[in-house]
Amino acid sequence: MHYFEYKDGELFAEDVSLAEIAEQVGTPFYCYSAATFRRHIKMFQQSFADRDALICYAMKANSNQAVLTLIAKLGAGVDVVSGGEMKRAILAGFPADKIVYSGVAKTHAEIEYGLEIGIHCFNAESEPELIRINEIAKAKGVKAPVSVRVNPDVDAGGHEKIMTGKAENKFGIPWKKIDKVYELIGTLAHLEVVGIDLHIGSQITDLEPFAEAFERVGTLVTSLRAAGHNIQHVDFGGGLGVPYKNDNDIPPHPDEYAAMINKVAGSLGVKYIFEPGRMIAANAGILVGKVEYVKHGDGRDFLISDVGMNDLIRPTLYDAYHDILPVKQATGVETQLVDVVGPVCETGDYTAKGRELPVFEQGELFAIMSAGAYGAVQAGTYNTRALVPEVLVDDDRFAVVRKRVEVDEIIALDDVPDWL
Ligand code: LLP
């Protein structure tokens, strides 16, 4: 559910006309709906209202400071994966004790920073990382709260580039080794066990792999407690899918997800932590672009737009599907079969291939739907293209929340040594 709808034949973000934003900001631009973000966070919180649960929004999905500020105000926590994201979290107003810190390559400086601000816990992904955290905590004379990320070795399906819970993936510690690793923690005096953690992948539209992995973790909680470890929370990670297609592909509702979790973990007596990213952000954002040319090729028609793979890399990187809607609602019934491509000089620069769309004219605006997660955060400036701006709409107001970084500013980042 989101708040991008046609009003009198024109696509709006809440009560703001997208054509109006395009007029003022230019294209392409990302546009977010504050009401949709709020709705998704509240929905997730509501699904676990009768439990001790903390929703730690995975900011890697969308880490714009305005979005983070909005989410922090709803009482949520945050999942971070770098020192940079920790800084963003603090600046956006998340209390440090609602920050969980995941990631396989935490540096010395990042761990120090996490200890200094007092985060809720480090989700540790390897033995050497635990040893490093212990050393740094010792040097600071503190105890570091840790939770070990388990790799449950389940196949969550989905695209191979975003699955994380198989033994061959770089993430977490094999579940068969977990007892040994908690034993190791017992010998490291500056670590304090607070929980156990997992994350099995992303855009998962079936509850079965979650249930399989969570059952495995439930068993571990029981055996770790029997061995004397104080497991206070289970962090179930993120991964719940979203509907990318309007008509089908409907993932489970958070309430169904909650029912499944209560069934497999309800009696463990642990606090629940969640790290949803996509589920919060994807349908809260769109990317608006313009058709530069309509080109009739040899047996194939192209809508050549100003949205490049540098602005939205998901279609070419993960074969991702995004609905495309005209900003001015199509009146005729006529459609055309097209490839929607961009300006970047690569064959992989496309947003849609072989798509049946309403007939578009040169200069027309269109919206790429469900682009709020892993869109702007993965954008770049390849081909020396300006960095795409982000706009936040709230009711009838809008603001540019990240400006377009212009070509001159990008070029100015380079230095030519005077010996050249
Ligand atoms: N927690 C951890 C440790 C993660 O690695 C991730 C995502 C999440 C939570 C949030 O997962 P979500 O609820 O968003 O599925 N760029 C890819 C997605 C990469 C996901 C990486 N990890 C895409 O555009 O599809």
Side-chain angles (χ1 to χ4, degrees):
M1 201 359 234
H2 58 70
Y3 296 95
F4 298 99
E5 277 166 357
Y6 286 106
K7 292 183 186 178
D8 293 329
E10 231 199 281
L11 195 59
F12 271 60
E14 302 187 22
D15 284 334
V16 180
S17 139
L18 290 165
E20 176 72 39
I21 301 177
E23 182 75 30
Q24 291 192 33
V25 177
T27 55
F29 65 91
Y30 278 91
C31 179
Y32 307 132
S33 149
T36 311
F37 270 109
R38 291 192 188 103
R39 182 187 152 87
H40 289 166
I41 290 278
K42 285 183 185 159
M43 221 162 85
F44 212 102
Q45 287 171 332
Q46 196 56 42
S47 297
F48 293 97
D50 58 347
R51 293 275 165 177
D52 182 10
L54 180 65
I55 314 300
C56 289
Y57 166 64
M59 78 153 79
K60 64 172 75 65
N62 185 323
S63 56
N64 185 285
Q65 285 305 120
V67 167
L68 295 177
T69 303
L70 179 161
I71 291 176
K73 284 192 173 160
L74 299 173
V78 70
D79 166 51
V80 303
V81 290
S82 70
E85 288 195 349
M86 254 188 291
K87 285 203 172 127
R88 281 192 179 276
I90 294 296
L91 287 170
F94 287 98
D97 64 3
K98 286 188 181 173
I99 299 176
V100 295
Y101 179 13
S102 312
V104 292
K106 302 178 186 77
T107 66
H108 193 285
E110 288 174 324
I111 294 168
E112 259 188 343
Y113 180 54
L115 285 173
E116 273 157 23
I117 61 177
I119 61 171
H120 182 69
C121 92
F122 292 87
N123 289 338
E125 308 231 14
S126 65
E127 289 105 318
E129 181 190 329
L130 286 162
I131 291 167
R132 180 182 274 182
I133 297 174
N134 184 63
E135 276 165 10
I136 299 170
K138 184 174 174 192
K140 288 194 164 306
V142 295
K143 275 197 156 200
V146 292
S147 158
V148 173
R149 175 162 176 187
V150 187
N151 185 322
D153 194 20
V154 297
D155 187 346
H159 198 276
E160 57 158 347
K161 289 202 179 104
I162 55 174
M163 72 167 58
T164 53
K166 288 284 290 165
E168 69 255 31
N169 301 133
K170 70 178 176 183
F171 299 100
I173 291 178
W175 68 281
K176 290 177 188 148
K177 283 179 73 180
I178 286 292
D179 290 341
K180 284 264 165 305
V181 171
Y182 274 88
E183 239 171 66
L184 167 73
I185 297 177
T187 68
L188 300 171
H190 288 268
L191 298 186
E192 185 191 358
V193 173
V194 291
I196 188 160
D197 158 60
L198 80 165
H199 170 76
I200 61 170
S202 203
Q203 187 53 17
I204 302 168
T205 50
D206 177 8
L207 289 179
E208 198 45 47
F210 285 121
E212 193 187 327
F214 298 167
E215 262 162 32
R216 216 156 255 188
V217 170
T219 316
L220 284 174
V221 171
T222 312
S223 69
L224 290 172
R225 278 184 174 158
H229 299 291
N230 185 12
I231 309 290
Q232 300 159 39
H233 76 240
V234 174
D235 179 338
F236 297 94
L240 197 55
V242 302
Y244 277 103
K245 286 190 188 168
N246 234 340
D247 46 351
N248 54 17
D249 193 21
I250 302 298
H253 187 276
D255 281 347
E256 296 169 64
Y257 177 72
M260 177 273 294
I261 288 183
N262 289 334
K263 196 163 145 216
V264 299
S267 59
L268 291 175
V270 287
K271 177 187 177 103
Y272 295 168
I273 294 182
F274 299 98
E275 302 171 357
R278 191 188 306 270
M279 191 257 146
I280 305 299
N283 288 314
I286 62 174
L287 173 54
V288 177
K290 188 174 74 192
V291 176
E292 293 286 356
Y293 301 101
V294 181
K295 175 168 160 178
H296 301 288
D298 183 5
R300 201 170 271 248
D301 290 335
F302 299 97
L303 293 184
I304 304 180
S305 82
D306 61 0
V307 174
M309 62 191 274
N310 65 301
D311 303 310
L312 179 67
I313 203 165
R314 302 196 69 256
T316 193
L317 191 56
Y318 314 112
D319 305 313
Y321 176 99
H322 289 265
D323 269 335
I324 296 176
L325 299 180
V327 165
K328 192 164 178 292
Q329 196 165 23
T331 43
V333 286
E334 211 186 324
T335 60
Q336 57 187 165
L337 186 71
V338 290
D339 284 3
V340 183
V341 299
V344 170
C345 291
E346 291 217 22
T347 305
D349 182 34
Y350 57 84
T351 308
K353 281 198 146 177
R355 188 78 63 86
E356 200 72 48
L357 290 179
V359 177
F360 277 90
E361 308 278 333
Q362 182 166 339
E364 248 194 275
L365 298 173
F366 62 92
I368 302 169
M369 306 305 288
S370 312
Y374 307 109
V377 281
Q378 297 199 106
T381 60
Y382 185 37
N383 278 198
T384 307
R385 289 172 41 75
L387 185 65
V388 59
E390 296 169 272
V391 170
L392 179 70
V393 168
D394 193 1
D395 215 347
D396 59 358
R397 293 177 294 192
F398 79 90
V400 175
V401 292
R402 181 177 77 191
K403 76 179 196 86
R404 190 182 309 279
V405 180
E406 299 291 356
V407 163
D408 285 344
E409 299 170 78
I410 294 165
I411 298 172
L413 291 172
D414 295 0
D415 263 323
V416 181
D418 54 13
W419 41 260
L420 263 187

